[in-house]
Amino acid sequence: MKTKERNKLENFSGTVLIPVFETTAKSIVPIKFEGLEISSKVFFGKKDSYYLADKNDNTYIFIGLGKAIDYKTLKTTARRISTKEKEAFGKSVALFVPEEFSSDEVEATVSGLLLGTYNLGHFKKGEEHPFLNPEFELEILSSKEYATIIDKAIKIARAQLQTLALVDLPPNKVTPKYLANWALDKGKNTVLR
């Protein structure tokens, strides 16, 4: 997965991920994004909820964060969206980063999206998650620059994905010799900075 930073959604066509902090169900103020309004009767950003909307050939996924969010919960929420809505992720996906987000929250979101690509069926042939395509580019829609944070998030997620794959392999495959060769191979391919 590659990333690219972008300031505006102008001329964008694809799926847009929009994290939203919770308002109240009784609020008369709708959630607004790029001319799209979502009534609080339908969606108000409740934790672990999401809402899909279409407008101008774009799919918008509003992701509920609740009133406050922590690193682990945000990572889990992003992972869940990435897993459940993989059909909505076509060639172009943009992640809107709210102004309130800290660097840790950006890291958790990007890392969670990549972790959502994990597939337990190691030996089954199936359709690969779009994020795993080497040509796929996640566009980061923000007024701030997060390149270093995003690189860190991707490295963390890839390490976790490799660990999950090791743990989930059958014991007849993960022998001591296999683990030793795996560790040597990873050591040779790791660049220390």
Side-chain angles (χ1 to χ4, degrees), residues 12-82:
F12 178 82
S13 179
T15 302
V16 183
L17 304 171
I18 307 120
V20 177
F21 285 100
E22 184 176 343
T23 59
T24 62
K26 296 176 185 174
S27 174
I28 57 171
V29 180
I31 293 172
K32 296 179 183 181
F33 184 82
E34 294 287 320
L36 190 66
E37 288 188 13
I38 309 298
S39 168
S40 60
K41 293 176 184 173
V42 178
F43 177 79
F44 56 94
K46 184 178 177 186
K47 186 170 152 181
D48 287 334
S49 66
Y50 64 96
Y51 183 80
L52 274 74
D54 281 330
K55 185 177 180 184
N56 301 333
D57 294 327
N58 287 337
T59 300
Y60 297 89
I61 302 177
F62 292 87
I63 305 166
L65 303 176
K67 293 186 193 262
I69 196 83
D70 61 89
Y71 186 95
K72 184 178 186 280
T73 305
L74 184 55
K75 194 174 197 175
T76 302
T77 300
R79 183 178 181 175
R80 212 174 275 140
I81 293 295
S82 180

